[in-house]
Every structure is written in C-alpha cells, then in structure tokens.
Amino acid sequence: MKVLERLGIKVIAAKQVGDLYHLTNLDGMEYILRDNKLKRGQYDGISFTRNKMLNFYVGSPVRLYFKLMIDGDKLSNNFKLEPFLYYARDRSISFRDESEEIVKKSEIPNISKYIKGVAFIYRNFENDEEYFNRDEPDDLLFRGNFKTFLKKDLKDLLERIDKKYGLYVQLGSQIKKDKSWFKKKGLL
C-alpha cells in the first residue's frame, strides 16, 4: 500500500459483501416505510440472508410478503456483519439454507440508504390469499379482513414501496421489476 501511495495512486478499499436480503411482513414493511429503521426481532441482532431464493425462515411471521434487497457493500461500511447459523434448541438441527449474516445491533437507522429495492414474494401472498379469501372477517389481518386489505390497503402499500424504493416481484426464481404484472393482478 505504501508503494502505491508514493506513486501517487490512491487506493480505496472496501468490503465486497454483495447483495443481501431481509424478509419482512406487512407490519415490518409499514414500520420501515414510516420510521426508516430496521429493528431486530426476537433473535440476537438483525438478520440478512445471501440466499435470494429464501422466502421464509424457521419461526417466520405470517404475511411474509416482502424481501428487502440490500446493498451489502454499503451496509458493511457502517455495520459489522457476522456469519450466523441458527440451531434448534437441542442443537440437533442447523438451518444452513438460510445463509445468514447478522448485525448485532437493536436497529439500523436510515435503512433506506441501503435498500436497492423491495421484492413482493408472490408465492407467499398467493398461499395466504387462498387461505384467507373467505367471507368471514379475520381480526388478525393487517387492517381488517382480507378482502378489504386486497382491495385497498395492499395497493396503497405497494404504491408507497414503489415510490420510495422501487417495487419488484418475485415469481419463482426470478426477481424482476414489472409494473404490468402488478397491474394485471389488480395490485397497482
């Protein structure tokens, strides 16, 4: 490095982490939009995955429809990322497919500067839609019953996500920006 400095060459070194992903549910996405923070859940730190195909995790909350696409290089310049492997309580089973990295902090402020986009995980939504699409209201849902949520609240949430971060859809193994898909489904 000193040889390069004597030659007048400036070297800027940074970690090469690559893309990271963070799964969140409706309430979590609403909180991120409102407060621009990512808070830890029940575990030790805030977890991310390198596995772009991971759409749920052990103990995941219901209505896990969103995947934050994070610039891991930028994040690692401000926060220490550590590999993490979750084990079952009796340590008999590990969850290697989660490919986790964690930030051992209670929150990450100004999360929007690290978010490259937000993917809507259609498969998770579709599975819930089939289950909840019935006539009786479900008090556990985001803002009333599922039909009201589908007609109004989800569209509003997706529009706000698109405006602030850029909205993508995950269809199978593809994550792509496709407003026409959302329009065809009546979601935008």
Side-chain angles (χ1 to χ4, degrees):
M1 185 86 106
K2 291 186 184 225
V3 172
L4 293 174
E5 287 174 9
R6 278 186 255 154
L7 294 173
I9 298 171
K10 186 175 182 178
V11 177
I12 299 172
K15 296 177 191 170
Q16 297 293 308
V17 174
D19 291 336
L20 296 173
Y21 304 91
H22 178 84
L23 301 170
T24 192
N25 64 2
L26 293 166
D27 293 331
M29 193 70 237
E30 188 68 47
Y31 177 81
I32 291 163
L33 282 164
R34 184 185 68 234
D35 294 344
N36 194 22
K37 295 178 187 174
L38 191 56
K39 290 188 94 157
R40 86 173 187 163
Q42 61 187 1
Y43 302 106
D44 185 27
I46 300 166
S47 65
F48 300 90
T49 181
R50 293 177 181 281
N51 181 353
K52 96 174 194 178
M53 297 312 303
L54 188 71
N55 293 332
F56 61 91
Y57 54 88
V58 174
S60 62
V62 293
R63 296 172 303 284
L64 195 66
Y65 303 153
F66 301 102
K67 184 181 295 186
L68 304 179
M69 299 180 297
I70 304 288
D71 185 329
D73 297 343
K74 272 187 188 177
L75 186 68
S76 71
N77 287 333
N78 295 301
F79 296 93
K80 183 179 178 185
L81 287 161
E82 297 179 31
F84 183 78
L85 182 59
Y86 177 79
Y87 285 92
R89 287 180 195 232
D90 65 0
R91 313 256 321 148
S92 62
I93 302 170
S94 68
F95 300 92
R96 295 185 191 288
D97 60 336
E98 292 183 8
S99 305
E100 278 188 272
E101 300 281 337
I102 63 168
V103 171
K104 288 189 176 182
K105 297 279 184 188
S106 61
E107 72 177 33
I108 297 174
N110 299 315
I111 191 64
S112 62
K113 70 182 184 180
Y114 308 108
I115 298 175
K116 294 168 72 173
V118 178
F120 180 69
I121 307 168
Y122 182 64
R123 175 74 56 169
N124 292 3
F125 172 73
E126 185 179 45
N127 290 341
D128 280 357
E129 186 178 25
E130 290 171 14
Y131 180 75
F132 288 115
N133 200 4
R134 53 186 196 245
D135 291 332
E136 68 267 9
D138 185 341
D139 293 335
L140 300 175
L141 288 171
F142 187 56
R143 293 182 187 163
N145 70 52
F146 199 70
K147 288 182 180 179
T148 302
F149 168 73
L150 286 178
K151 288 179 183 168
K152 179 182 180 292
D153 299 326
L154 181 60
K155 289 179 186 179
D156 173 61
L157 182 62
L158 292 173
E159 286 171 6
R160 289 186 293 135
I161 291 168
D162 191 34
K163 186 176 180 181
K164 189 162 185 172
Y165 302 116
L167 183 63
Y168 295 74
V169 62
Q170 180 170 345
L171 301 167
S173 62
Q174 289 186 316
I175 295 177
K176 60 185 180 174
K177 198 165 196 151
D178 188 353
K179 280 193 179 184
S180 64
W181 180 89
F182 284 98
K183 288 177 182 174
K184 275 192 262 183
K185 294 289 185 182
L187 296 172
L188 277 182

